[in-house]
Amino acid sequence: MRTFTCQCGNTLHFANTRCVSCGLMLGFMPDEKTLSAFTKHDKGVWRSATNGRLYRQCKNYSVQDVCNWMIPFEEHGELCASCQLTQTIPNLDQPDNRRLWFRMENAKRRLLYTLYKLELPVVSRQQDPQQGLGFEFLEDQTEDEYGNELTVKNFVTTGHNAGIITLDLKEAEPSSRVKMREEMNEQYRTLVGHFRHESGHYYWDRLVRNSHWLTEYRELFGDERLDYTYALQHYYEQGPAPEWHKVWVSAYASMHPWEDWAETWAHYLHMVDTLETASNFDFSVSSHQVIDPLQQLPQSTEAKSEAHFNQLYNDWCRLTAVLNALNRSMGLDDAYPFVISNIATDKLRFVHRVISEACNT
């Protein structure tokens, strides 16, 4: 994620709602993919300092204070392009749920920013009621047992089904997420990571299923027609495949070809988003300037796409070595606890090629 600049020259960050220097209201304009300062034009109408156009605040900005995106004045509806995708919000009668909802929406907006920058298709449920993208933020349902003890009636499972991405609200609570990470013996578990992973399932359906990519996908990732329920049960009973790190980007990726794709897809989004951040801060490693892969989009020809991926991947390897060294100097866990094998690199290269075709179509 890059930083932005206010009309007064102050540096702005993606989630900001007010400039601490000049005091102007801020809002993200999805049509421009940038954060801008705004001045009041009329009741409920604001003028952007970036392009001079008129906008309205998303209702979840003006009323709920969980969003900072704007709506072009000429467009209809009360919700921005991001909030329109949310099908189910948490129960706001629960005191902590607004805070958790804010964290969910913030992570979702980071995902959407990357998808927009990669020029990937984001089709809403309104556009495609059967397969369009949507999000549900749910929590376990509890019931009173004998008047004094709450028991769980229905558990929420984070996952994807026909375009709908469901996330367990507990994942927005750091203590719960860390506890789950320890129980699952995972090295990496973040809220934005969940969004990126589940979006991988959505884009497998849109970009790979029934496409010319399917044969090559099966050669690299395996046959997705394998029994998913059996694979899931086997994974949780027996653990990941032996020496999984030689073939997969994560232990969970070894569970089933669908999960291998989703984990690899998420990893690719980790790479391009972090590299954009490093490039935005003019970062270089041993005189190698880090590229911004979201500015230099994947190329249309195979040779150019391959060269672009090689540069991206080499920058990533250099950058993550520095990130881990810095964290160790602070006594923290590695920021990047992964070792990418040649096979896993080929899978990342495949994701890059699929995205190259999608954004050049």
Side-chain angles (χ1 to χ4, degrees), residues 6-7 24 29 36-39 47-53:
C6 183
Q7 52 86 37
L24 288 181
M29 305 182 297
S36 174
F38 285 84
T39 54
R47 186 179 297 278
S48 166
T50 300
N51 61 12
R53 293 177 54 198

Side-chain angles (χ1 to χ4, degrees), residues 257-321:
W258 274 335
E259 300 305 337
D260 190 7
W261 162 269
E263 284 287 88
T264 306
W265 174 275
H267 211 89
Y268 183 85
L269 297 189
H270 294 333
M271 291 167 61
V272 296
D273 193 62
T274 308
L275 286 170
E276 184 196 35
T277 304
S279 176
N280 182 237
F281 283 94
D282 204 23
F283 205 90
S284 62
V285 182
S286 302
S287 300
H288 292 278
Q289 193 75 26
V290 173
I291 68 165
D292 178 357
L294 297 183
Q295 184 176 21
Q296 305 175 33
L297 286 177
Q299 303 296 309
S300 55
T301 68
E302 186 173 345
K304 289 182 178 180
S305 179
E306 176 71 11
H308 184 252
F309 176 81
N310 289 339
Q311 185 179 8
L312 182 159
Y313 184 73
N314 289 334
D315 279 358
W316 181 244
C317 291
R318 285 189 284 262
L319 178 63
T320 51

Side-chain angles (χ1 to χ4, degrees), residues 3 44-45 70 102 117 132 154 192 207 223-224 251 262 277 304 320 328:
T3 56
V45 182
M70 306 296 287
F102 167 80
K117 292 285 285 199
N154 289 311
V192 73
L207 304 179
D223 192 334
E224 82 287 352
T277 304
K304 289 182 178 180
T320 51
R328 292 165 191 169

Side-chain angles (χ1 to χ4, degrees), residues 204 208-209 211-225 256-262 347 350 354:
W204 190 89
V208 180
R209 183 195 296 271
S211 78
H212 69 90
W213 294 110
L214 194 56
T215 299
E216 187 176 354
Y217 163 81
R218 288 172 178 166
E219 291 172 354
L220 274 172
F221 295 85
D223 192 334
E224 82 287 352
R225 292 168 295 187
H256 187 275
W258 274 335
E259 300 305 337
D260 190 7
W261 162 269
K347 294 174 182 178
F350 178 79
V354 171

Side-chain angles (χ1 to χ4, degrees), residues 149-169:
E149 184 177 345
L150 289 176
T151 59
V152 177
K153 181 180 179 182
N154 289 311
F155 285 99
V156 173
T157 301
T158 293
H160 167 268
N161 182 31
I164 296 296
I165 292 174
T166 301
L167 280 99
D168 186 349
L169 198 61

Side-chain angles (χ1 to χ4, degrees), residues 37-107:
F38 285 84
T39 54
K40 196 69 173 288
H41 174 75
D42 199 353
K43 184 178 180 180
V45 182
W46 301 79
R47 186 179 297 278
S48 166
T50 300
N51 61 12
R53 293 177 54 198
L54 299 179
Y55 290 80
R56 293 174 288 113
Q57 287 180 309
C58 173
K59 183 179 180 180
N60 286 340
Y61 188 175
S62 61
V63 177
Q64 302 292 357
D65 197 26
V66 297
C67 179
N68 71 336
W69 281 28
M70 306 296 287
I71 307 169
F73 178 73
E74 63 275 10
E75 291 186 8
H76 300 291
E78 297 181 316
L79 298 178
C80 69
S82 172
C83 289
Q84 287 178 26
L85 300 176
T86 303
Q87 305 293 298
T88 305
I89 69 170
N91 178 8
L92 299 184
D93 290 335
Q94 299 298 319
D96 290 336
N97 281 3
R98 187 181 301 276
R99 173 172 53 88
L100 301 182
W101 181 29
F102 167 80
R103 292 174 182 169
M104 284 285 189
E105 293 289 354
N106 191 45

